[in-house]
Amino acid sequence: MPKGRPNTMNNYGVLLHELGLDEPLVTPLRTRFLQPLTALLYPDCGGGQLDSHRAFVVKYAPDQDRELGCHYDNAELTLNVALGKAFTGGALYFGGLFQAPAEPLEVEHMVGQGILHRGGQLHGARPLDSGERWNLVIWLRASAVRNRLCPMCCREPELVEDEGYGDGFTREEPTTVDVCALT
């Protein structure tokens, strides 16, 4: 089976599309449950226009990745759910949009609970003290937003052909008119 890294910062985990879980699990979760919620909470950053995602599970353990430095995500919105295992430490912390947190807000990540935030909000995970923490992370993307401005470099993107969701960018198809319907 192919084995990609979950993202550029985590070394331990799995991409859900490699397990065949995008269409039966993550896409319905995004379209039926998350998008109605994000449309209300985050209309200004594409919450009502989510049309792709990147979903992965990451693992934190004392002898592996113990923490995650301050970063922002390649997403308009991010859902991070603590899946299980017993652990201590590893609180999440948050700063501002694309701004380093001077006085970060810390949130204890609790098993069975999720945290929804803007992808551009700087955040990280404090060191794990003991145990293992597994997290489901879904980067939610809206091509209507990212086709105008790349969330990683804040410039207009130059689109190229790619497989799958292509990091959430899409080529806009030219509008066609059915001439027969006009007569």
Side-chain angles (χ1 to χ4, degrees):
M1 247 178 107
K3 173 76 173 79
R5 281 180 66 185
N7 57 56
T8 60
M9 296 181 74
N10 290 100
N11 296 303
Y12 301 94
V14 64
L15 293 158
L16 294 189
H17 80 271
E18 290 180 349
L19 300 177
L21 294 175
D22 262 352
E23 291 310 311
L25 176 68
V26 185
T27 298
L29 175 64
R30 174 177 44 87
T31 59
R32 293 179 58 207
F33 300 102
L34 295 175
Q35 188 162 331
L37 180 63
T38 59
L40 292 171
L41 296 175
Y42 299 101
D44 58 321
C45 62
Q49 301 169 305
L50 303 175
D51 55 5
S52 69
H53 59 265
R54 179 177 177 95
F56 48 93
V57 172
V58 293
K59 177 185 177 186
Y60 295 90
D63 59 337
Q64 298 177 349
D65 289 338
R66 291 188 57 236
E67 63 188 297
L68 189 61
C70 193
H71 66 283
Y72 57 91
D73 299 333
N74 186 356
E76 279 65 60
L77 299 166
T78 297
L79 176 65
N80 184 331
V81 181
L83 295 177
K85 300 284 185 176
F87 64 91
T88 60
L92 302 182
Y93 62 90
F94 294 89
L97 287 177
F98 300 104
Q99 295 175 356
E103 291 189 35
L105 168 69
E106 286 206 10
V107 178
E108 291 297 322
H109 214 15
M110 298 172 55
V111 173
Q113 294 186 4
I115 298 171
L116 181 65
H117 63 89
R118 295 172 190 269
Q121 186 169 10
L122 281 172
H123 60 284
R126 299 281 184 223
L128 196 64
D129 293 328
S130 67
E132 289 182 8
R133 187 176 87 201
W134 292 77
N135 292 72
L136 167 65
V137 178
I138 305 175
W139 289 347
L140 301 161
R141 296 166 167 169
S143 61
V145 173
R146 64 183 37 228
N147 281 354
R148 291 192 311 268
L149 189 69
C150 174
M152 300 306 286
C153 68
C154 295
R155 288 184 284 206
E156 185 176 342
E158 201 171 300
L159 303 178
V160 296
E161 295 295 326
D162 196 7
E163 297 279 324
Y165 289 128
D167 275 349
F169 297 99
T170 60
R171 287 191 184 275
E172 293 186 35
E173 296 296 322
T175 305
T176 58
V177 176
D178 184 354
V179 178
C180 297
L182 295 176
T183 57

